[in-house]
Structures are given as structure tokens and as C-alpha cells.
Amino acid sequence: DLARDRGLEPTIENGIDLVIELQLAGGFGAIYHSMDDRDVQRILKHPMTMINTDGDAVAYGEGFPHPRSYGTFPRVLGRYVRELKVISLEEAVRRMTSLSAEQIGQDDLGLLREGFIADITVFDADTVADRATYTDPHQYSVGIRYVIINGTPVIQSGAFTGERPGRVIRGPARR
């Protein structure tokens, strides 16, 4: 796009020159479209695939983050569970919670059990969906009714409460 904006042919050589120029001017961020949705579906079918995100913590309305910063989990629940039926709802939730917690050695997370840390998300399985796009990334997902972190509501009736009871989780990457 930058090459075209400057009237240059979109060649590898011009791309290299522009990347060097941008880097020397202080760097840049980019979103690369290198995955195919069929690959995502194939990977999700594997029984050991955990569902997490590498989306950035972002300030609302600032910059152009990847849409996953706003909607990774609702996207899985809406698109891959409800619409495409790649995996079941129960399996998706397990892969987002207990399977991930187990892999990092956090035995008091990821399950609803007495004495465990109370992190709970209540959502409508029929409507949960991501809304963020590449051109309009600052859009909250829909269908999330309540989020409770460490026993404190942070989303109540779909609205942010202002509470921030979360904590950093430290532990081994794998057992």
C-alpha cells in the first residue's frame, strides 16, 4: 500500500527499500495475512490445541491493533463453534480454560470448583460474536453478559463496572 501511495510498483525491491526507510524512521507495526481459515479450522480440530491470544492490551480508540485484541474468544465461540461447528461449545470452553491453565501449572484456575480462583464469563452462546475488523478494530464483542475476575464483577449486564481485580499469573511455560 505504501509503495502504491508513493507511485511505486509493489515489487520486492521497492518493499525492501520502504521497510528499511520505515525502520530507520522509528519502526512500524504491521498485520500480516499469512494464515488461511482452513488451516485455523484444521488446527482447532486437534485435541491438544489450546485457545489463547497474543492480542495486545490496547487503549480504546488508539492505533490499529489486530482485531484479536478485542475478540479472540468470542470469534472462536461465534464462528468456529456456532457457525462452522468445528468443535463443540464444551470443548472450546475447556481449551480456553482448564487445558490452558493445566499446561502452565496453574492448578487452581480453569475449573469451577470450591477453593479455586473465581474467574467466570457468562455469555449467550446464540449471540456471542466478535465485531472488531481490520479497518475498525476498536469494537467490543457482543453476547458477553458478565465477567467475574477473582470474585469481582468487571462486566455486569454487558457493561464495564470499572473494577480491575485481575493479577499477573506467573508460572512455568509447561510442566
Side-chain angles (χ1 to χ4, degrees):
D1 289 344
L2 180 58
R4 284 188 187 103
D5 287 349
R6 292 196 178 172
L8 301 171
E9 289 292 317
T11 64
I12 295 291
E13 293 78 15
N14 286 336
I16 291 169
D17 289 341
L18 291 170
V19 166
I20 292 169
E21 177 187 326
L22 290 169
Q23 194 61 38
L24 291 173
F28 61 96
I31 295 173
Y32 300 96
H33 299 276
S34 59
M35 292 186 68
D36 185 282
D37 198 55
R38 291 172 299 194
D39 291 332
V40 174
Q41 292 176 46
R42 181 179 50 80
I43 291 165
L44 274 174
K45 289 178 183 177
H46 191 281
M48 290 304 293
T49 296
M50 294 175 284
I51 300 168
N52 289 287
T53 185
D54 62 352
D56 297 320
V58 298
Y60 186 80
E62 292 183 17
F64 278 88
H66 194 287
R68 71 175 152 246
S69 295
Y70 283 88
T72 296
F73 299 98
R75 178 158 186 84
V76 170
L77 296 170
R79 177 163 174 76
Y80 298 107
V81 171
R82 186 180 61 244
E83 294 172 12
L84 300 177
K85 300 180 182 357
V86 175
I87 58 175
S88 70
L89 176 61
E90 296 81 3
E91 185 64 10
V93 170
R94 182 184 79 83
R95 292 175 186 202
M96 293 174 180
T97 58
S98 63
L99 183 60
S100 299
E102 178 183 304
Q103 286 298 309
I104 62 170
Q106 297 295 327
D107 297 329
D108 60 346
L109 294 173
L111 295 169
L112 293 176
R113 288 196 178 147
E114 187 174 338
F116 277 38
I117 295 172
D119 292 346
I120 301 167
T121 299
V122 178
F123 61 91
D124 182 339
D126 293 329
T127 63
V128 66
D130 63 317
R131 293 289 184 240
T133 66
Y134 292 104
T135 56
D136 190 8
H138 298 283
Q139 296 189 61
Y140 293 122
S141 298
V142 295
I144 307 293
R145 304 291 185 242
Y146 298 90
V147 175
I148 302 166
I149 305 295
N150 293 326
T152 302
V154 295
I155 294 179
Q156 198 161 359
S157 300
F160 184 55
T161 65
E163 297 293 327
R164 294 178 164 203
R167 64 178 174 86
V168 174
I169 298 173
R170 300 191 190 278
R174 299 194 188 276
R175 290 188 196 194

